[in-house]
Amino acid sequence: MRKLIVIIALLTVAICSNAQYNKNTVKNITNSFIATLMSGDLQGTLEFFEPNYVASQHDSFLEGRTEQFVAEFLAGSYKKGFYFITPELSRIKSMKVKKTCCDLEKNEIYADVEILMDYGVKYSVRLEMLVTEYGDLRFIGAVG
């Protein structure tokens, strides 16, 4: 099942790389990422990130700690920004895309995702994307 999800996700990215990007493309890629994560395929989630970001942040800075890399990517604040959470991935109950933006002229490509933890905390995180040098749309996050 995990392999099927990864194959579908990679095909989605490949097909979309030849098309005009739009909000639906962003939503589809984000939903594929969510499906891969929720299936427990952490290694598969790395395919959704910009390769140079993975090399610098995951491979070098975090020394290959995939769970920490993904958890920190999904970190966000809740209760009007007063509390910050880095989720324990196994405790994520659900994730849902709430809003997408794909304005290539302004270089604004993102999905706002609502994350519900199994202990009741709900928060939102903005997952930013960019078009890679190869024309793929991939996630990017903070470095350092």
Side-chain angles (χ1 to χ4, degrees):
M1 182 66 174
R2 290 181 191 173
K3 289 181 182 179
L4 178 62
I5 292 171
V6 171
I7 290 169
I8 290 170
L10 291 174
L11 286 174
T12 301
V13 172
I15 290 168
C16 292
S17 68
N18 295 325
Q20 176 68 25
Y21 295 119
N22 58 43
K23 288 181 176 185
N24 286 331
T25 307
V26 172
K27 185 173 185 174
N28 290 339
I29 292 170
T30 305
N31 279 329
S32 293
F33 169 77
I34 290 169
T36 302
L37 176 65
M38 296 304 285
S39 76
D41 185 6
L42 284 181
Q43 205 61 34
T45 64
L46 296 178
E47 298 297 323
F48 291 90
F49 292 96
E50 195 276 328
N52 292 324
Y53 174 61
V54 171
S56 67
Q57 193 66 15
H58 173 270
D59 301 344
S60 294
F61 186 73
L62 294 176
E63 299 173 333
R65 294 188 300 271
T66 306
E67 187 168 350
Q68 182 180 355
F69 174 77
V70 175
E72 289 179 0
F73 178 72
L74 295 175
S77 60
Y78 66 104
K79 291 200 177 189
K80 298 185 181 180
F82 291 111
Y83 301 97
F84 193 78
I85 184 171
T86 301
E88 185 176 332
L89 299 179
S90 64
R91 301 207 57 192
I92 295 174
K93 183 174 181 179
S94 66
M95 297 174 68
K96 183 177 180 178
V97 177
K98 299 301 275 184
K99 176 183 173 184
T100 61
C101 176
C102 189
D103 189 336
L104 297 174
E105 290 178 12
K106 293 182 179 178
N107 201 26
E108 289 183 7
I109 309 168
Y110 62 84
D112 288 338
V113 175
E114 182 180 86
I115 299 175
L116 175 62
M117 303 303 293
D118 65 1
Y119 47 87
V121 169
K122 184 186 296 186
Y123 72 99
S124 294
V125 64
R126 177 162 288 175
L127 306 181
E128 300 203 17
M129 303 174 102
L130 59 76
V131 178
T132 70
E133 61 185 280
Y134 303 107
D136 298 328
L137 195 57
R138 302 282 179 95
F139 292 115
I140 190 84
V143 176

